[in-house]
Amino acid sequence: MKHYPKQTPQPEQELSQQTPCQCPYGQPRPRGGKGTRTLIVILIGIASAFVIGFGGYAIFLSVQQHLADDNTQSQGQEDLGGQEQDLFESAETKNTVGTGTDPSFSGLSFHSAAGKGLSASQIFEQIAPSVVSVTVTVDEETYRSSGVILTKDGYALTTASSIGYSRDASVTARTSDNKKHKATVVGYDSTRDLAVLKLEGSGFVAASIGKADTASVGDPVYTVTTADQAKYSGVLTKGILSASNRYLTYDSVSRDGYFQTDAAVSDSGTGGALVNEEGQVIGLTISANALEETESGSYGLALEQVSQQVTDLIQKGYVGGRTRLGIVGSTLTKEEAKRYGVPQGVIVLQIAKDGAFAATDVQEGDIITQMDGTTVTNMAELAAVMEQHKAGDSVEVTLYRVKDDKDGESYTVTITLKEDSGQTQR
């Protein structure tokens, strides 16, 4: 999206921006050999690092920085072993899993339609106090989006992309009465692009939330969001519901469960309220500028579709029921695979001590090519296979190992998927 910092650089971008190594790597070879080993070393040393969990997209910034620092100190070295720090316990993370949670939260309440339509002005008057302007400050730069207050004690919902997929973002929220409130990122879910904030203060006005079926295609809908500039108050737009249960792709992730509408939403309106005729919030707005779509219009994530995720985030700061591998990995692109004569897949950059591969012969630099009999060429495909399983399931994983001065070889291991209790959702 264009109005907030993106903290998800792609692996190929990192490779293209790397500092030249002081030692000669030589030219890539058609099959295996030192050229391929060089690619593995470079990727382990400076590739963009991702924690592989249920969704596979939660960036682990502290590990990324650790890899970069390690590469600066020991360029050209192939052995990154012997590191004492657990991969998922970052001393640099200020806001840890569980900060600001409420284990007693009973869940969102969804209301049915009562058949009493409101005028546009009535809808705005009812919803505007529940919509906040979210300001994120990163490196002295300010970015704005919107959010919806869910509870009277100050839990609010926005998009994970709006806060840069980070628990450590400096966040403030401004309510419709122009009062500013410091906010804590309680948790976020990059898979569904959700983030829960906890606003400091009291007297908040919680939005009334409607079921997804309270609006049908062709019905009038409204968006209540905030303006691009802080000096302006809330913004109301009107349109019709153009489609429901749409799949959308942005920030390189495909997601389902979206409404589509022709009601306009600006960049700073992302994270605002999509509202039915009765003044009930049915979705979280997404600006069309954020999407990798060719169709016009704006979108809203159906809140009923993500009710459990929101509840989990408030109760414990992460989404439960998901699995993890306990590795840091990176996609090996088709071009890189062809250049170095290796199969396409996900390169294992680091292995957690408590991860699924810890008790196997899998090594850093091996390439995951299959899981549970399904070919894997990138992290999204790996995540899709994991999504079909639960913690404790045993699955077979096929990997490719590069051999010095000769072709590599494939081998298979059986692993037990671990429960993701927040390790990849920091």
Side-chain angles (χ1 to χ4, degrees), residues 5-20:
K6 295 193 65 166
Q7 299 187 13
T8 53
Q10 297 300 306
E12 52 266 36
Q13 293 175 334
E14 287 292 313
L15 287 171
S16 66
Q17 296 170 1
Q18 63 182 301
T19 303

Side-chain angles (χ1 to χ4, degrees), residues 267-284:
D267 283 349
S268 65
T270 291
L274 179 65
V275 187
N276 63 19
E277 287 187 283
E278 299 191 7
Q280 298 169 336
V281 178
I282 59 173
L284 200 67

Side-chain angles (χ1 to χ4, degrees), residues 393-410:
D393 285 356
S394 294
V395 296
E396 286 191 347
V397 181
T398 301
L399 301 97
Y400 180 89
R401 177 168 298 169
V402 174
K403 297 288 186 178
D404 289 329
D405 300 321
K406 63 179 180 179
D407 291 348
E409 62 180 9
S410 294

Side-chain angles (χ1 to χ4, degrees), residues 26-50:
Q27 297 299 317
R29 299 186 180 187
R31 294 289 301 173
K34 293 181 180 179
T36 306
R37 295 298 302 177
T38 294
L39 172 65
I40 303 301
V41 172
I42 294 174
L43 285 170
I44 290 179
I46 62 175
S48 178
F50 291 79

